[in-house]
Amino acid sequence: MSNLSDTTEHIKVQRPELWTLELSLLPTGIDFMLYTDAAGESMHVGSIAVGSGSGVAPLPDHERVKAIENAVYDNPVLLDDYKRVRVLVAAQHFVVLPPDTTDDQASRLLAVAYPESAADTEAVVCRMPRCGQVIAFEMPKGLRSFLDRTFNTPQVCHHLYPLCEHYYRLNSGSGISRMFLNLHENAMDVVVYRRGELLMANTYPFTNLDDAAYFALHVWQSLELDQQVDEIQLTGRREHREELTASLRRYVKYVMPAIYPAAALRLGHDAALAPFDLILLSQCE
């Protein structure tokens, strides 16, 4: 039987102190993944609607915080005393900063970058130990305090964290540049490494795949990547990947699917269908 679900009612966790809970807070829902290293094929993964669940438009921030609280409390399996809880936040407003940036400096720089929203949000600073970079990002006021008291101060990261950290390890010591495109329904994460160093990380919303191809090629040209030597690797939605690959191969010689982390397959036979950001997060120990 599949462990992919849009409900948590069937999930029974024995000895939660051995398990890890990962959450991805999206504009209109929560993706979750539960697994333990103590047993193979342990993964439970699914999605929980937030608010109306229509998926048409996200709620205003003040309503979204309460809706997230209700969604969590309506699914008691999320409230067990787990060994570790990690939370990804899909935040549109963020800045990537050098490693010596202090938390206070990062918060001030974020407020300068997005002055129009600073009054209604709070800054969260996420450090990426492999990349040696810092991401400061906005969360709706009250959300961080809810997460801290509900999950006993979990690790809270920006949604680009797993993409940057996982592929840093794969590119360490590489002599070429690689662009990684992670495709969501209406947005594309772009992470670029040059000779093993993180060069840029950003997210671009798009309305169609022609726009996505344009953004990718604009970044490629701006960073002066080599069309004959450097690579583009794609992850995320399969139907988007196939169409975008065909478009990009007209301009870049090496365009291919990114290698799926083999170690993640031990989590469960449905691992390849799980949210990719949570799969990568599970590999960022």
Side-chain angles (χ1 to χ4, degrees):
M1 187 172 96
S2 173
N3 285 333
L4 292 169
S5 177
D6 58 0
T7 178
T8 62
E9 293 180 356
H10 69 292
I11 300 175
K12 308 298 179 185
V13 173
Q14 302 296 323
R15 300 193 64 188
E17 69 274 11
L18 300 178
W19 288 67
T20 293
L21 170 64
E22 294 180 354
L23 301 173
S24 180
L25 306 185
L26 304 168
T28 58
I30 301 172
D31 288 342
F32 69 88
M33 187 164 81
L34 272 165
Y35 65 92
T36 175
D37 296 328
E41 297 288 326
S42 64
M43 181 193 74
H44 296 279
V45 62
S47 298
I48 301 168
V50 168
S52 66
S54 65
V56 174
L59 296 169
D61 281 348
H62 66 283
E63 295 181 22
R64 183 171 171 238
V65 173
K66 185 60 178 178
I68 289 173
E69 293 181 9
N70 292 338
V72 170
Y73 290 138
D74 286 345
N75 291 273
V77 71
L78 302 181
L79 301 173
D80 280 341
D81 190 14
Y82 293 109
K83 176 180 74 172
R84 177 171 54 194
V85 178
R86 308 171 82 182
V87 182
L88 295 180
V89 179
Q92 293 182 336
H93 289 178
F94 64 95
V95 289
V96 181
L97 300 165
D100 56 352
T101 307
T102 67
D103 287 7
D104 185 58
Q105 289 171 334
S107 297
R108 293 204 306 270
L109 289 169
L110 181 67
V112 170
Y114 301 101
E116 73 283 356
S117 56
D120 301 320
T121 62
E122 54 189 328
V124 177
V125 178
C126 166
R127 296 189 175 272
M128 299 188 290
R130 291 178 183 170
C131 297
Q133 304 292 315
V134 174
I135 302 180
F137 61 97
E138 291 181 350
M139 287 176 58
K141 276 191 174 178
L143 182 54
R144 179 63 187 266
S145 61
F146 164 73
L147 295 173
D148 285 347
R149 67 177 181 265
T150 304
F151 299 111
N152 191 23
T153 316
Q155 181 184 9
V156 179
C157 301
H158 189 265
H159 73 270
L160 287 172
Y161 172 94
L163 199 66
C164 293
E165 287 288 89
H166 178 73
Y167 287 116
Y168 174 81
R169 181 174 58 184
L170 296 185
N171 286 275
S172 180
S174 174
I176 66 172
S177 298
R178 291 188 177 94
M179 172 186 285
F180 293 89
L181 306 179
N182 184 34
L183 296 160
H184 307 282
E185 183 175 0
N186 296 304
M188 176 178 67
D189 302 326
V190 181
V191 172
V192 181
Y193 289 92
R194 173 173 287 160
R195 292 185 290 276
E197 298 297 326
L198 180 64
L199 194 60
M200 71 151 290
N202 209 342
T203 298
Y204 297 91
F206 61 80
T207 55
N208 57 68
L209 290 179
D210 287 339
D211 287 345
Y214 171 82
F215 292 138
L217 292 171
H218 177 73
V219 171
W220 186 276
Q221 184 177 29
S222 298
L223 298 178
E224 299 181 342
L225 303 183
D226 192 318
Q227 292 173 272
Q228 298 300 315
V229 176
D230 298 328
E231 297 177 359
I232 298 177
Q233 297 191 18
L234 291 88
T235 66
R237 293 175 68 94
R238 180 188 296 272
E239 62 274 24
H240 286 356
R241 288 201 319 258
E242 294 174 353
E243 184 175 342
L244 189 56
T245 295
S247 296
L248 294 175
R249 279 182 177 161
R250 298 202 297 265
Y251 306 96
V252 178
K253 184 174 181 179
Y254 297 108
V255 183
M256 64 202 75
I259 298 174
Y260 191 86
L265 296 175
R266 185 177 179 272
L267 299 176
H269 63 279
D270 280 327
L273 301 177
F276 193 66
D277 55 351
L278 295 183
I279 288 293
L280 290 189
L281 185 62
S282 73
Q283 306 303 300
C284 297
E285 303 297 341

